[in-house]
Amino acid sequence: MDQPSRSAGTVRPGGRTARVRAAVLEATQDALVEHGFHALTMDQIAARAGVGKTTVYRRWGSPAGLVTDLMNEFANQSSPHADTGSIEGDLRANALMVMEALNDPRLGVTLQAVIAAATSDEQAALALRTFYLRRIDEWATVVELAVARGELPQGTHAEELIRAVSAPLYYRLVVTREPVTREVAEASVARALAAARAGAFVTAGDRSP
Amino acid sequence: MDQPSRSAGTVRPGGRTARVRAAVLEATQDALVEHGFHALTMDQIAARAGVGKTTVYRRWGSPAGLVTDLMNEFANQSSPHADTGSIEGDLRANALMVMEALNDPRLGVTLQAVIAAATSDEQAALALRTFYLRRIDEWATVVELAVARGELPQGTHAEELIRAVSAPLYYRLVVTREPVTREVAEASVARALAAARAGAFVTAGDRSP
């Protein structure tokens, strides 16, 4: 194994530059969780991370730059798509993963802080969009596999079906401010799947042969 | 008609108290659109509205109090549910109304500012939830009428179907930061309706006889 041992929690690959980045991103997430994006300052992050201000300004440029790098890191760390053998199992795995992320006291609050930041900051909005489009693209594979297996109609729009599973969970979290329960996650899967089986996700822009 | 003429734009019913409220809520919305919730201060709103600070503090208490009253006013001004004679027509009317609200340069930005505020302020979150639950309740009637007409299965969860129509639009607006187009609105209706017709919104807690 070329990888450092995962049990050596304080040893990070990549030397000083990677350690600085890890400390700065952790400080950024701490600050977002505690006070939100609007209270985030470069000086405060430098102090929290134990890193020189000049380094933080030079490498990240702005609070939105910090958030962008944090979202990149989330995308890199996120789980690959499931492969349970059925579209129902795969979409359920996706919905439960989203539910757990949104209810996680650290990750869920961080995502909400970035969603809030994105309403008024274009760079944060781009970071958010990039993160979610990568996640949607990763999970769209489960729909393509289901179409290939004959579980779903030819021409089913893979990305749209993945969006449809997540949308009701985020709607409750940030719009109606209602709990995102397991029941909500499972109902979302059942409804998206019923619509997909009925052909409601087949689009004119069908890319399948 | 007991109502004052709507064409007399500067004459508002209710005298001074109502005029003060209208000026303060307009100043609140202006401030949200321009700088967001975090920059909103009571003194700035008093100055913009041309109203004494004491009045603003006494009647609204805090920036979150201003946002709460603004959302109450939105709820009071919002359109009643459609009644086109078909569930497809009614849900399309709902989706297009949501689409127009979200894309409106003033209303859409205001709603996003309150969504952002709600991620870190409990009072703003309550105002947001109250507003949306009122809107969902208002539009749930179209589902109940459709069930009564035999267009949808007995036991279809009315509020959940209304949530399902809106969710993909809000998901694109605030999470994936993608455009909320007419195509998106119409696809959302088609998918929610396909799932409803397949019985995917029938719940164990069926309240119909």
Side-chain angles (χ1 to χ4, degrees), chain B residues 134-168:
Chain B
R134 276 181 69 179
R135 296 304 298 152
I136 290 167
D137 185 60
E138 169 67 26
W139 281 83
T141 303
V142 307
V143 181
E144 289 159 5
L145 292 171
V147 172
R149 283 194 302 263
E151 275 197 276
L152 291 175
Q154 286 288 323
T156 297
H157 195 307
E159 290 82 4
E160 279 292 275
L161 181 50
I162 297 300
R163 283 186 186 89
V165 169
S166 287

PDB file of all heavy atoms in Angstrom, chain B residues 134-168:
ATOM      1  N   ARG B 134     -49.260  27.488   4.932  1.00  0.00           N
ATOM      2  CA  ARG B 134     -50.518  28.122   4.508  1.00  0.00           C
ATOM      3  C   ARG B 134     -50.749  27.966   3.017  1.00  0.00           C
ATOM      4  O   ARG B 134     -51.862  27.681   2.566  1.00  0.00           O
ATOM      5  CB  ARG B 134     -50.521  29.622   4.864  1.00  0.00           C
ATOM      6  CG  ARG B 134     -50.953  29.912   6.284  1.00  0.00           C
ATOM      7  CD  ARG B 134     -50.969  31.410   6.578  1.00  0.00           C
ATOM      8  NE  ARG B 134     -52.018  32.145   5.858  1.00  0.00           N
ATOM      9  CZ  ARG B 134     -52.227  33.464   5.987  1.00  0.00           C
ATOM     10  NH1 ARG B 134     -51.471  34.183   6.808  1.00  0.00           N
ATOM     11  NH2 ARG B 134     -53.178  34.066   5.306  1.00  0.00           N
ATOM     12  N   ARG B 135     -49.691  28.161   2.229  1.00  0.00           N
ATOM     13  CA  ARG B 135     -49.826  28.039   0.768  1.00  0.00           C
ATOM     14  C   ARG B 135     -50.139  26.589   0.374  1.00  0.00           C
ATOM     15  O   ARG B 135     -50.962  26.331  -0.503  1.00  0.00           O
ATOM     16  CB  ARG B 135     -48.539  28.497   0.050  1.00  0.00           C
ATOM     17  CG  ARG B 135     -48.184  29.962   0.233  1.00  0.00           C
ATOM     18  CD  ARG B 135     -49.304  30.891  -0.179  1.00  0.00           C
ATOM     19  NE  ARG B 135     -49.656  30.773  -1.583  1.00  0.00           N
ATOM     20  CZ  ARG B 135     -50.878  31.025  -2.080  1.00  0.00           C
ATOM     21  NH1 ARG B 135     -51.881  31.369  -1.303  1.00  0.00           N
ATOM     22  NH2 ARG B 135     -51.113  30.919  -3.368  1.00  0.00           N
ATOM     23  N   ILE B 136     -49.467  25.645   1.013  1.00  0.00           N
ATOM     24  CA  ILE B 136     -49.702  24.229   0.704  1.00  0.00           C
ATOM     25  C   ILE B 136     -51.144  23.861   1.062  1.00  0.00           C
ATOM     26  O   ILE B 136     -51.842  23.192   0.300  1.00  0.00           O
ATOM     27  CB  ILE B 136     -48.690  23.342   1.464  1.00  0.00           C
ATOM     28  CG1 ILE B 136     -47.284  23.531   0.880  1.00  0.00           C
ATOM     29  CG2 ILE B 136     -49.107  21.863   1.412  1.00  0.00           C
ATOM     30  CD1 ILE B 136     -46.159  22.958   1.748  1.00  0.00           C
ATOM     31  N   ASP B 137     -51.597  24.348   2.207  1.00  0.00           N
ATOM     32  CA  ASP B 137     -52.960  24.066   2.656  1.00  0.00           C
ATOM     33  C   ASP B 137     -53.987  24.643   1.674  1.00  0.00           C
ATOM     34  O   ASP B 137     -54.974  23.991   1.322  1.00  0.00           O
ATOM     35  CB  ASP B 137     -53.144  24.665   4.059  1.00  0.00           C
ATOM     36  CG  ASP B 137     -54.492  24.316   4.645  1.00  0.00           C
ATOM     37  OD1 ASP B 137     -54.760  23.117   4.803  1.00  0.00           O
ATOM     38  OD2 ASP B 137     -55.282  25.233   4.931  1.00  0.00           O
ATOM     39  N   GLU B 138     -53.722  25.859   1.217  1.00  0.00           N
ATOM     40  CA  GLU B 138     -54.624  26.509   0.261  1.00  0.00           C
ATOM     41  C   GLU B 138     -54.752  25.676  -1.022  1.00  0.00           C
ATOM     42  O   GLU B 138     -55.852  25.436  -1.521  1.00  0.00           O
ATOM     43  CB  GLU B 138     -54.090  27.915  -0.061  1.00  0.00           C
ATOM     44  CG  GLU B 138     -54.760  28.630  -1.239  1.00  0.00           C
ATOM     45  CD  GLU B 138     -56.222  29.000  -0.969  1.00  0.00           C
ATOM     46  OE1 GLU B 138     -56.579  29.170   0.220  1.00  0.00           O
ATOM     47  OE2 GLU B 138     -57.001  29.108  -1.950  1.00  0.00           O
ATOM     48  N   TRP B 139     -53.609  25.221  -1.546  1.00  0.00           N
ATOM     49  CA  TRP B 139     -53.619  24.497  -2.818  1.00  0.00           C
ATOM     50  C   TRP B 139     -53.991  23.027  -2.671  1.00  0.00           C
ATOM     51  O   TRP B 139     -54.375  22.371  -3.656  1.00  0.00           O
ATOM     52  CB  TRP B 139     -52.278  24.668  -3.545  1.00  0.00           C
ATOM     53  CG  TRP B 139     -52.230  26.004  -4.226  1.00  0.00           C
ATOM     54  CD1 TRP B 139     -51.905  27.204  -3.656  1.00  0.00           C
ATOM     55  CD2 TRP B 139     -52.581  26.299  -5.577  1.00  0.00           C
ATOM     56  NE1 TRP B 139     -52.014  28.228  -4.574  1.00  0.00           N
ATOM     57  CE2 TRP B 139     -52.419  27.697  -5.759  1.00  0.00           C
ATOM     58  CE3 TRP B 139     -53.008  25.526  -6.665  1.00  0.00           C
ATOM     59  CZ2 TRP B 139     -52.682  28.325  -6.996  1.00  0.00           C
ATOM     60  CZ3 TRP B 139     -53.257  26.151  -7.884  1.00  0.00           C
ATOM     61  CH2 TRP B 139     -53.102  27.539  -8.035  1.00  0.00           C
ATOM     62  N   ALA B 140     -53.914  22.483  -1.464  1.00  0.00           N
ATOM     63  CA  ALA B 140     -54.298  21.080  -1.255  1.00  0.00           C
ATOM     64  C   ALA B 140     -55.749  20.848  -1.659  1.00  0.00           C
ATOM     65  O   ALA B 140     -56.126  19.737  -2.058  1.00  0.00           O
ATOM     66  CB  ALA B 140     -54.076  20.693   0.211  1.00  0.00           C
ATOM     67  N   THR B 141     -56.541  21.903  -1.592  1.00  0.00           N
ATOM     68  CA  THR B 141     -57.954  21.809  -1.982  1.00  0.00           C
ATOM     69  C   THR B 141     -58.122  21.262  -3.401  1.00  0.00           C
ATOM     70  O   THR B 141     -59.054  20.492  -3.658  1.00  0.00           O
ATOM     71  CB  THR B 141     -58.614  23.205  -1.874  1.00  0.00           C
ATOM     72  OG1 THR B 141     -58.430  23.672  -0.538  1.00  0.00           O
ATOM     73  CG2 THR B 141     -60.090  23.154  -2.209  1.00  0.00           C
ATOM     74  N   VAL B 142     -57.219  21.636  -4.314  1.00  0.00           N
ATOM     75  CA  VAL B 142     -57.379  21.174  -5.700  1.00  0.00           C
ATOM     76  C   VAL B 142     -57.219  19.651  -5.780  1.00  0.00           C
ATOM     77  O   VAL B 142     -57.843  19.001  -6.626  1.00  0.00           O
ATOM     78  CB  VAL B 142     -56.420  21.879  -6.700  1.00  0.00           C
ATOM     79  CG1 VAL B 142     -56.533  23.403  -6.585  1.00  0.00           C
ATOM     80  CG2 VAL B 142     -54.975  21.429  -6.562  1.00  0.00           C
ATOM     81  N   VAL B 143     -56.399  19.095  -4.906  1.00  0.00           N
ATOM     82  CA  VAL B 143     -56.224  17.635  -4.887  1.00  0.00           C
ATOM     83  C   VAL B 143     -57.479  16.977  -4.312  1.00  0.00           C
ATOM     84  O   VAL B 143     -57.968  15.970  -4.833  1.00  0.00           O
ATOM     85  CB  VAL B 143     -54.975  17.235  -4.087  1.00  0.00           C
ATOM     86  CG1 VAL B 143     -54.790  15.719  -4.091  1.00  0.00           C
ATOM     87  CG2 VAL B 143     -53.734  17.934  -4.633  1.00  0.00           C
ATOM     88  N   GLU B 144     -57.998  17.569  -3.230  1.00  0.00           N
ATOM     89  CA  GLU B 144     -59.208  17.012  -2.620  1.00  0.00           C
ATOM     90  C   GLU B 144     -60.369  17.026  -3.620  1.00  0.00           C
ATOM     91  O   GLU B 144     -61.141  16.055  -3.709  1.00  0.00           O
ATOM     92  CB  GLU B 144     -59.555  17.800  -1.350  1.00  0.00           C
ATOM     93  CG  GLU B 144     -58.554  17.511  -0.216  1.00  0.00           C
ATOM     94  CD  GLU B 144     -58.508  18.587   0.865  1.00  0.00           C
ATOM     95  OE1 GLU B 144     -59.325  19.546   0.808  1.00  0.00           O
ATOM     96  OE2 GLU B 144     -57.642  18.478   1.753  1.00  0.00           O
ATOM     97  N   LEU B 145     -60.475  18.108  -4.383  1.00  0.00           N
ATOM     98  CA  LEU B 145     -61.534  18.182  -5.401  1.00  0.00           C
ATOM     99  C   LEU B 145     -61.321  17.110  -6.483  1.00  0.00           C
ATOM    100  O   LEU B 145     -62.289  16.496  -6.948  1.00  0.00           O
ATOM    101  CB  LEU B 145     -61.567  19.580  -6.041  1.00  0.00           C
ATOM    102  CG  LEU B 145     -62.010  20.711  -5.101  1.00  0.00           C
ATOM    103  CD1 LEU B 145     -61.802  22.081  -5.774  1.00  0.00           C
ATOM    104  CD2 LEU B 145     -63.478  20.546  -4.708  1.00  0.00           C
ATOM    105  N   ALA B 146     -60.061  16.895  -6.859  1.00  0.00           N
ATOM    106  CA  ALA B 146     -59.767  15.890  -7.893  1.00  0.00           C
ATOM    107  C   ALA B 146     -60.095  14.481  -7.405  1.00  0.00           C
ATOM    108  O   ALA B 146     -60.599  13.649  -8.165  1.00  0.00           O
ATOM    109  CB  ALA B 146     -58.296  15.979  -8.310  1.00  0.00           C
ATOM    110  N   VAL B 147     -59.814  14.214  -6.131  1.00  0.00           N
ATOM    111  CA  VAL B 147     -60.166  12.910  -5.556  1.00  0.00           C
ATOM    112  C   VAL B 147     -61.686  12.753  -5.563  1.00  0.00           C
ATOM    113  O   VAL B 147     -62.216  11.702  -5.963  1.00  0.00           O
ATOM    114  CB  VAL B 147     -59.587  12.763  -4.129  1.00  0.00           C
ATOM    115  CG1 VAL B 147     -60.124  11.504  -3.455  1.00  0.00           C
ATOM    116  CG2 VAL B 147     -58.062  12.739  -4.171  1.00  0.00           C
ATOM    117  N   ALA B 148     -62.390  13.813  -5.189  1.00  0.00           N
ATOM    118  CA  ALA B 148     -63.858  13.772  -5.165  1.00  0.00           C
ATOM    119  C   ALA B 148     -64.427  13.547  -6.562  1.00  0.00           C
ATOM    120  O   ALA B 148     -65.442  12.878  -6.739  1.00  0.00           O
ATOM    121  CB  ALA B 148     -64.405  15.068  -4.560  1.00  0.00           C
ATOM    122  N   ARG B 149     -63.751  14.108  -7.591  1.00  0.00           N
ATOM    123  CA  ARG B 149     -64.203  13.924  -8.977  1.00  0.00           C
ATOM    124  C   ARG B 149     -63.804  12.565  -9.527  1.00  0.00           C
ATOM    125  O   ARG B 149     -64.179  12.226 -10.652  1.00  0.00           O
ATOM    126  CB  ARG B 149     -63.560  14.998  -9.883  1.00  0.00           C
ATOM    127  CG  ARG B 149     -64.161  16.377  -9.799  1.00  0.00           C
ATOM    128  CD  ARG B 149     -63.687  17.274 -10.958  1.00  0.00           C
ATOM    129  NE  ARG B 149     -62.240  17.410 -11.020  1.00  0.00           N
ATOM    130  CZ  ARG B 149     -61.544  18.435 -10.512  1.00  0.00           C
ATOM    131  NH1 ARG B 149     -62.160  19.416  -9.871  1.00  0.00           N
ATOM    132  NH2 ARG B 149     -60.237  18.481 -10.632  1.00  0.00           N
ATOM    133  N   GLY B 150     -62.987  11.824  -8.801  1.00  0.00           N
ATOM    134  CA  GLY B 150     -62.531  10.515  -9.282  1.00  0.00           C
ATOM    135  C   GLY B 150     -61.314  10.592 -10.182  1.00  0.00           C
ATOM    136  O   GLY B 150     -60.940   9.609 -10.813  1.00  0.00           O
ATOM    137  N   GLU B 151     -60.646  11.747 -10.221  1.00  0.00           N
ATOM    138  CA  GLU B 151     -59.452  11.886 -11.067  1.00  0.00           C
ATOM    139  C   GLU B 151     -58.219  11.260 -10.446  1.00  0.00           C
ATOM    140  O   GLU B 151     -57.259  10.924 -11.143  1.00  0.00           O
ATOM    141  CB  GLU B 151     -59.158  13.370 -11.312  1.00  0.00           C
ATOM    142  CG  GLU B 151     -59.911  13.997 -12.440  1.00  0.00           C
ATOM    143  CD  GLU B 151     -59.245  15.310 -12.834  1.00  0.00           C
ATOM    144  OE1 GLU B 151     -59.526  16.345 -12.187  1.00  0.00           O
ATOM    145  OE2 GLU B 151     -58.435  15.304 -13.771  1.00  0.00           O
ATOM    146  N   LEU B 152     -58.196  11.190  -9.112  1.00  0.00           N
ATOM    147  CA  LEU B 152     -57.047  10.639  -8.391  1.00  0.00           C
ATOM    148  C   LEU B 152     -57.556   9.616  -7.380  1.00  0.00           C
ATOM    149  O   LEU B 152     -58.701   9.693  -6.931  1.00  0.00           O
ATOM    150  CB  LEU B 152     -56.287  11.756  -7.661  1.00  0.00           C
ATOM    151  CG  LEU B 152     -55.532  12.763  -8.543  1.00  0.00           C
ATOM    152  CD1 LEU B 152     -54.926  13.873  -7.681  1.00  0.00           C
ATOM    153  CD2 LEU B 152     -54.435  12.070  -9.356  1.00  0.00           C
ATOM    154  N   PRO B 153     -56.681   8.660  -7.005  1.00  0.00           N
ATOM    155  CA  PRO B 153     -57.116   7.608  -6.078  1.00  0.00           C
ATOM    156  C   PRO B 153     -57.579   8.165  -4.727  1.00  0.00           C
ATOM    157  O   PRO B 153     -57.026   9.154  -4.237  1.00  0.00           O
ATOM    158  CB  PRO B 153     -55.850   6.759  -5.881  1.00  0.00           C
ATOM    159  CG  PRO B 153     -54.967   7.070  -7.036  1.00  0.00           C
ATOM    160  CD  PRO B 153     -55.295   8.468  -7.461  1.00  0.00           C
ATOM    161  N   GLN B 154     -58.575   7.503  -4.143  1.00  0.00           N
ATOM    162  CA  GLN B 154     -58.989   7.792  -2.771  1.00  0.00           C
ATOM    163  C   GLN B 154     -57.774   7.689  -1.866  1.00  0.00           C
ATOM    164  O   GLN B 154     -56.953   6.772  -2.021  1.00  0.00           O
ATOM    165  CB  GLN B 154     -60.034   6.765  -2.297  1.00  0.00           C
ATOM    166  CG  GLN B 154     -61.421   6.950  -2.888  1.00  0.00           C
ATOM    167  CD  GLN B 154     -62.132   8.179  -2.321  1.00  0.00           C
ATOM    168  OE1 GLN B 154     -61.991   8.488  -1.135  1.00  0.00           O
ATOM    169  NE2 GLN B 154     -62.862   8.878  -3.167  1.00  0.00           N
ATOM    170  N   GLY B 155     -57.652   8.623  -0.918  1.00  0.00           N
ATOM    171  CA  GLY B 155     -56.559   8.554   0.044  1.00  0.00           C
ATOM    172  C   GLY B 155     -55.284   9.239  -0.429  1.00  0.00           C
ATOM    173  O   GLY B 155     -54.265   9.220   0.270  1.00  0.00           O
ATOM    174  N   THR B 156     -55.332   9.851  -1.615  1.00  0.00           N
ATOM    175  CA  THR B 156     -54.170  10.614  -2.090  1.00  0.00           C
ATOM    176  C   THR B 156     -53.872  11.737  -1.097  1.00  0.00           C
ATOM    177  O   THR B 156     -54.773  12.499  -0.737  1.00  0.00           O
ATOM    178  CB  THR B 156     -54.463  11.206  -3.488  1.00  0.00           C
ATOM    179  OG1 THR B 156     -54.665  10.132  -4.405  1.00  0.00           O
ATOM    180  CG2 THR B 156     -53.309  12.081  -3.966  1.00  0.00           C
ATOM    181  N   HIS B 157     -52.644  11.823  -0.661  1.00  0.00           N
ATOM    182  CA  HIS B 157     -52.255  12.824   0.347  1.00  0.00           C
ATOM    183  C   HIS B 157     -52.139  14.186  -0.341  1.00  0.00           C
ATOM    184  O   HIS B 157     -51.179  14.450  -1.074  1.00  0.00           O
ATOM    185  CB  HIS B 157     -50.933  12.416   0.991  1.00  0.00           C
ATOM    186  CG  HIS B 157     -50.622  13.160   2.249  1.00  0.00           C
ATOM    187  ND1 HIS B 157     -50.626  14.535   2.334  1.00  0.00           N
ATOM    188  CD2 HIS B 157     -50.316  12.722   3.496  1.00  0.00           C
ATOM    189  CE1 HIS B 157     -50.310  14.904   3.563  1.00  0.00           C
ATOM    190  NE2 HIS B 157     -50.128  13.817   4.299  1.00  0.00           N
ATOM    191  N   ALA B 158     -53.107  15.048  -0.089  1.00  0.00           N
ATOM    192  CA  ALA B 158     -53.218  16.308  -0.830  1.00  0.00           C
ATOM    193  C   ALA B 158     -51.999  17.211  -0.632  1.00  0.00           C
ATOM    194  O   ALA B 158     -51.421  17.712  -1.604  1.00  0.00           O
ATOM    195  CB  ALA B 158     -54.496  17.032  -0.419  1.00  0.00           C
ATOM    196  N   GLU B 159     -51.612  17.421   0.620  1.00  0.00           N
ATOM    197  CA  GLU B 159     -50.488  18.331   0.887  1.00  0.00           C
ATOM    198  C   GLU B 159     -49.192  17.789   0.285  1.00  0.00           C
ATOM    199  O   GLU B 159     -48.373  18.550  -0.237  1.00  0.00           O
ATOM    200  CB  GLU B 159     -50.307  18.545   2.399  1.00  0.00           C
ATOM    201  CG  GLU B 159     -51.419  19.357   3.060  1.00  0.00           C
ATOM    202  CD  GLU B 159     -52.643  18.512   3.389  1.00  0.00           C
ATOM    203  OE1 GLU B 159     -52.614  17.273   3.181  1.00  0.00           O
ATOM    204  OE2 GLU B 159     -53.659  19.104   3.831  1.00  0.00           O
ATOM    205  N   GLU B 160     -49.009  16.472   0.367  1.00  0.00           N
ATOM    206  CA  GLU B 160     -47.780  15.898  -0.175  1.00  0.00           C
ATOM    207  C   GLU B 160     -47.692  16.071  -1.690  1.00  0.00           C
ATOM    208  O   GLU B 160     -46.603  16.293  -2.232  1.00  0.00           O
ATOM    209  CB  GLU B 160     -47.693  14.402   0.184  1.00  0.00           C
ATOM    210  CG  GLU B 160     -47.184  14.151   1.584  1.00  0.00           C
ATOM    211  CD  GLU B 160     -45.716  14.536   1.716  1.00  0.00           C
ATOM    212  OE1 GLU B 160     -44.853  13.714   1.402  1.00  0.00           O
ATOM    213  OE2 GLU B 160     -45.459  15.700   2.151  1.00  0.00           O
ATOM    214  N   LEU B 161     -48.826  15.965  -2.364  1.00  0.00           N
ATOM    215  CA  LEU B 161     -48.801  16.151  -3.815  1.00  0.00           C
ATOM    216  C   LEU B 161     -48.470  17.604  -4.171  1.00  0.00           C
ATOM    217  O   LEU B 161     -47.714  17.871  -5.117  1.00  0.00           O
ATOM    218  CB  LEU B 161     -50.136  15.696  -4.421  1.00  0.00           C
ATOM    219  CG  LEU B 161     -50.291  15.806  -5.943  1.00  0.00           C
ATOM    220  CD1 LEU B 161     -49.117  15.194  -6.699  1.00  0.00           C
ATOM    221  CD2 LEU B 161     -51.601  15.141  -6.398  1.00  0.00           C
ATOM    222  N   ILE B 162     -49.001  18.535  -3.395  1.00  0.00           N
ATOM    223  CA  ILE B 162     -48.674  19.951  -3.640  1.00  0.00           C
ATOM    224  C   ILE B 162     -47.189  20.215  -3.376  1.00  0.00           C
ATOM    225  O   ILE B 162     -46.509  20.895  -4.162  1.00  0.00           O
ATOM    226  CB  ILE B 162     -49.566  20.870  -2.767  1.00  0.00           C
ATOM    227  CG1 ILE B 162     -51.045  20.699  -3.146  1.00  0.00           C
ATOM    228  CG2 ILE B 162     -49.133  22.328  -2.900  1.00  0.00           C
ATOM    229  CD1 ILE B 162     -51.365  21.040  -4.589  1.00  0.00           C
ATOM    230  N   ARG B 163     -46.668  19.646  -2.278  1.00  0.00           N
ATOM    231  CA  ARG B 163     -45.222  19.780  -2.015  1.00  0.00           C
ATOM    232  C   ARG B 163     -44.408  19.229  -3.187  1.00  0.00           C
ATOM    233  O   ARG B 163     -43.396  19.795  -3.581  1.00  0.00           O
ATOM    234  CB  ARG B 163     -44.825  18.983  -0.763  1.00  0.00           C
ATOM    235  CG  ARG B 163     -45.174  19.619   0.561  1.00  0.00           C
ATOM    236  CD  ARG B 163     -44.577  18.781   1.699  1.00  0.00           C
ATOM    237  NE  ARG B 163     -44.987  19.250   3.008  1.00  0.00           N
ATOM    238  CZ  ARG B 163     -46.075  18.845   3.661  1.00  0.00           C
ATOM    239  NH1 ARG B 163     -46.883  17.945   3.118  1.00  0.00           N
ATOM    240  NH2 ARG B 163     -46.362  19.340   4.848  1.00  0.00           N
ATOM    241  N   ALA B 164     -44.848  18.076  -3.721  1.00  0.00           N
ATOM    242  CA  ALA B 164     -44.078  17.397  -4.777  1.00  0.00           C
ATOM    243  C   ALA B 164     -43.998  18.229  -6.057  1.00  0.00           C
ATOM    244  O   ALA B 164     -43.021  18.129  -6.800  1.00  0.00           O
ATOM    245  CB  ALA B 164     -44.691  16.031  -5.080  1.00  0.00           C
ATOM    246  N   VAL B 165     -45.030  19.038  -6.317  1.00  0.00           N
ATOM    247  CA  VAL B 165     -45.006  19.889  -7.508  1.00  0.00           C
ATOM    248  C   VAL B 165     -43.975  21.009  -7.338  1.00  0.00           C
ATOM    249  O   VAL B 165     -43.217  21.330  -8.258  1.00  0.00           O
ATOM    250  CB  VAL B 165     -46.410  20.467  -7.793  1.00  0.00           C
ATOM    251  CG1 VAL B 165     -46.352  21.559  -8.859  1.00  0.00           C
ATOM    252  CG2 VAL B 165     -47.353  19.340  -8.228  1.00  0.00           C
ATOM    253  N   SER B 166     -43.918  21.595  -6.152  1.00  0.00           N
ATOM    254  CA  SER B 166     -43.001  22.722  -5.910  1.00  0.00           C
ATOM    255  C   SER B 166     -41.554  22.303  -5.708  1.00  0.00           C
ATOM    256  O   SER B 166     -40.633  23.052  -6.060  1.00  0.00           O
ATOM    257  CB  SER B 166     -43.431  23.485  -4.647  1.00  0.00           C
ATOM    258  OG  SER B 166     -44.590  24.236  -4.881  1.00  0.00           O
ATOM    259  N   ALA B 167     -41.346  21.140  -5.083  1.00  0.00           N
ATOM    260  CA  ALA B 167     -40.002  20.779  -4.623  1.00  0.00           C
ATOM    261  C   ALA B 167     -38.918  20.863  -5.707  1.00  0.00           C
ATOM    262  O   ALA B 167     -37.860  21.451  -5.459  1.00  0.00           O
ATOM    263  CB  ALA B 167     -40.023  19.390  -3.982  1.00  0.00           C
ATOM    264  N   PRO B 168     -39.147  20.309  -6.917  1.00  0.00           N
ATOM    265  CA  PRO B 168     -38.073  20.368  -7.919  1.00  0.00           C
ATOM    266  C   PRO B 168     -37.728  21.794  -8.351  1.00  0.00           C
ATOM    267  O   PRO B 168     -36.596  22.067  -8.756  1.00  0.00           O
ATOM    268  CB  PRO B 168     -38.644  19.575  -9.101  1.00  0.00           C
ATOM    269  CG  PRO B 168     -39.680  18.684  -8.498  1.00  0.00           C
ATOM    270  CD  PRO B 168     -40.286  19.505  -7.393  1.00  0.00           C
TER     271      PRO B 168
END
